[in-house]
Amino acid sequence: MRNKEMLLVPGPTPVMDEIYDALSSETMGHTDPRFAKIFKNSLNLSKQLFNTDGEVFVIAGSGTLAMEMAIINTVAPGEKLLVVSHGYFGDRFIPLAKVFGIKVETLQAEWGQQISKELLEEKLAEGGFKAVTVTHVDTSTGVMANIEELIPVVKKTGALFILDGVCATAALEEDMQKTYGHPDYKIDVVLTGSQKAIGVPPGLGMVAFGPKALAAREAMSSVMGYYTDIKNWLPVMNDPVKYFATPPVNMIYAFNKGMEMVMAEGLEKRYCRHSALGRAMRSALKVYGMKPLAMEEVAAPTLSCIIYPEGLNDAEFRSKLASKGVVVAGALAALAGKAFRIGHMGNATEEMFVKALQIIGETLQEMGYEANIDAAVDEFKGIYRSV
C-alpha cells in the first residue's frame, strides 16, 4: 500500500493501491456508455453482496444519508418507528426520524451490551410499529447485534426490519434472502457506506431494499425528500446511462474496484478473516492490560472499543501513536478519555496489525507501563493464523 499511515480508526479504513488507481482514472461523462457499464457492474456486485431480489441504490453521500434514505422511503410521517440502539450511532436514528414527523420509540442498551430478544418482544407487544431499526455493529461501542435472534421477533409482528450495516457490510453476513425461522422472516433494508469494511474512500451511501420495503415505498404517495426518494433513483439504477443527479464518477470507479476485490476474496472467507482479526486484536491488547468494552460473545469483528489501563493519558497516548504512523480514534460520550477505538476491517493486512501492536507496546513502555510486545504479537498471530 502507498498509504503513509496505518489508519486504524473505525473508518475510513486503509485503501489498497488498486482502488487508488481506479479513483484517479480519467473522469468520463456521467452518461457515457463506458461509465454506465462500470456503474452497472458495481450495482450487480452490490446485489450479490446483499443477495437481494430487490434493488440496490448507490449514491453520493455518507452513511447518514443512507440512513435517511432507508427511513423516509419506508416509514411515513405519523407512523411508529422503533429504534434498537447499542450506542451512539444507533441513537442517531432518533433525531433523524423525528425531523420527518415519525413517531420514534427506543430500546437503548447499556454501552457494551446487547438488547435481548425478550426485551424487544416486550416492547413490540405494545403494537403499531411500522419498522424497527437495528445497527449491526455500533461504531461507538464495538457491540454486534444478534440479528439471528432479533429478526424473527420483529418480523412476526409484521414490521419491517431495517439494518444499519455501516460498520458491518462486507465483514458480516447480511443476506437479504436468508430466512430466519419462517419464509417471510427476512431483512427488508440494509444501508451502509463505502469507507469501512468495503475498503473504499468515503463518499458513497448504499441502500438495499427488499420486496416488502419496495412495496412500502410504492404504498406511499410521496416522501419527505427529493434527492433521497428512491423512485427518483430507480431508473438510474436500472440503466445508469439515464440521469437524475450527477453521480460521483471517480468514486464509482473506486467502488467498482473495491467490490471486485471483495467478491474475489469470497464472502465466506472475508467473514472468517474479519472474525479472526477481531478476536486476535482484542486478545493481543489484553496482554497489555487493555480491556475491551464489549464481552467477546457480543464483540464485533470490525472494531473494538478498548479501555485504558488505570491512569493512562488518552490524548498523549494517541498523539504518540500518530507521530509513529498509527492512527486510532478516541472514545465517545461518557467513555471519552477513558478508552480508544481501533478498527480492524476492510483490506488492512496482518503485517499492519503486527506492526501496530509493536508500536502500541513501545508507546506504553515510553509512558511508564509494562508491555510484553513479543507475547502480544504471538497472541495475535496464534489466533489469527488458526483460521
Side-chain angles (χ1 to χ4, degrees):
M1 289 188 188
R2 69 187 65 156
N3 302 303
K4 296 179 181 179
E5 296 181 332
M6 285 183 276
L7 187 62
L8 303 184
V9 298
T13 56
V15 177
M16 300 294 283
D17 290 351
E18 298 94 318
I19 296 173
Y20 279 132
D21 290 340
L23 182 67
S24 63
S25 298
E26 184 175 352
T27 302
M28 297 179 194
H30 56 279
T31 58
D32 188 313
R34 295 171 297 172
F35 170 68
K37 184 178 179 180
I38 295 170
F39 198 174
K40 188 65 175 178
N41 187 62
S42 71
L43 292 167
N44 289 336
L45 292 172
S46 300
K47 285 188 174 183
Q48 292 177 39
L49 174 64
F50 296 116
N51 189 29
T52 181
D53 54 352
E55 297 290 344
V56 174
F57 300 85
V58 178
I59 63 172
S62 68
T64 303
L65 184 75
M67 293 169 71
E68 182 171 313
M69 199 169 186
I71 295 301
I72 70 163
N73 285 282
T74 54
V75 186
E79 292 184 317
K80 289 174 65 176
L81 174 72
L82 178 61
V83 173
V84 176
S85 176
H86 293 103
Y88 180 90
F89 290 95
D91 289 349
R92 178 167 285 188
F93 278 108
I94 300 168
L96 187 155
K98 285 182 176 178
V99 163
F100 297 105
I102 295 167
K103 296 178 180 178
V104 186
E105 298 189 27
T106 62
L107 280 177
Q108 291 171 307
E110 182 178 342
W111 276 35
Q113 298 183 15
Q114 287 178 337
I115 292 290
S116 69
K117 66 176 183 179
E118 291 80 13
L119 191 59
L120 180 57
E121 283 176 332
E122 182 181 333
K123 184 65 180 176
L124 287 172
E126 297 174 11
F129 292 100
K130 175 72 172 295
V132 177
T133 65
V134 175
T135 304
H136 205 168
V137 171
D138 199 289
T139 313
S140 64
T141 60
V143 170
M144 173 179 62
N146 188 342
I147 63 171
E148 294 276 345
E149 288 190 350
L150 300 184
I151 290 172
V153 174
V154 171
K155 293 306 298 176
K156 72 181 180 182
T157 70
L160 296 171
F161 189 93
I162 299 173
L163 187 65
D164 176 352
V166 169
C167 205
T169 300
L172 280 162
E173 182 183 71
E174 294 173 335
D175 185 336
M176 296 181 71
Q177 293 197 62
K178 179 178 178 179
T179 58
Y180 295 81
H182 185 281
D184 291 334
Y185 293 0
K186 301 177 183 180
I187 300 169
D188 296 298
V189 179
V190 182
L191 64 100
T192 193
S194 57
Q195 75 276 19
K196 296 190 183 254
I198 295 174
V200 173
L204 294 177
M206 294 85 81
V207 192
F209 283 75
K212 289 190 175 181
L214 291 170
R217 170 63 189 93
E218 196 62 38
M220 300 162 73
S221 59
S222 63
V223 299
M224 299 284 285
Y226 180 65
Y227 185 78
T228 46
D229 184 350
I230 63 171
K231 279 199 168 185
N232 289 330
W233 284 106
L234 192 55
V236 181
M237 299 300 110
N238 289 330
D239 180 7
V241 79
K242 293 183 178 178
Y243 174 77
F244 167 60
T246 305
V249 171
N250 288 65
M251 277 300 303
I252 297 298
Y253 296 160
F255 178 62
N256 185 61
K257 175 56 68 174
M259 287 301 302
E260 288 179 344
M261 294 174 69
V262 167
M263 302 311 286
E265 180 177 359
L267 293 180
E268 290 303 320
K269 184 176 179 181
R270 197 173 180 92
Y271 299 154
C272 288
R273 175 171 66 83
H274 278 85
S275 177
L277 194 50
R279 287 187 287 110
M281 281 303 293
R282 286 186 292 272
S283 191
L285 290 169
K286 286 180 183 177
V287 174
Y288 292 153
M290 294 177 156
K291 179 184 176 184
L293 172 67
M295 298 291 289
E296 193 58 38
E297 57 266 25
V298 304
T302 49
L303 82 145
S304 298
C305 183
I306 306 294
I307 300 172
Y308 289 124
E310 186 68 30
L312 192 144
N313 184 284
D314 169 57
E316 182 183 359
F317 173 73
R318 290 190 291 112
S319 177
K320 283 180 176 290
L321 285 186
S323 70
K324 299 171 186 176
V326 176
V327 183
V328 297
L332 300 174
L335 289 176
K338 301 175 183 177
F340 71 100
R341 293 175 298 145
I342 184 167
H344 31 77
M345 64 181 134
N347 298 316
T349 65
E350 176 186 359
E351 292 74 19
M352 288 180 64
F353 288 103
V354 168
K355 183 65 174 177
L357 283 168
Q358 292 169 338
I359 292 174
I360 289 171
E362 292 167 3
T363 302
L364 288 169
Q365 290 172 352
E366 290 174 10
M367 296 178 71
Y369 290 82
E370 291 186 10
N372 188 330
I373 296 172
D374 289 341
V377 170
D378 287 346
E379 181 73 9
F380 173 83
K381 289 180 178 180
I383 294 175
Y384 185 66
R385 294 179 179 180
S386 66
V387 175

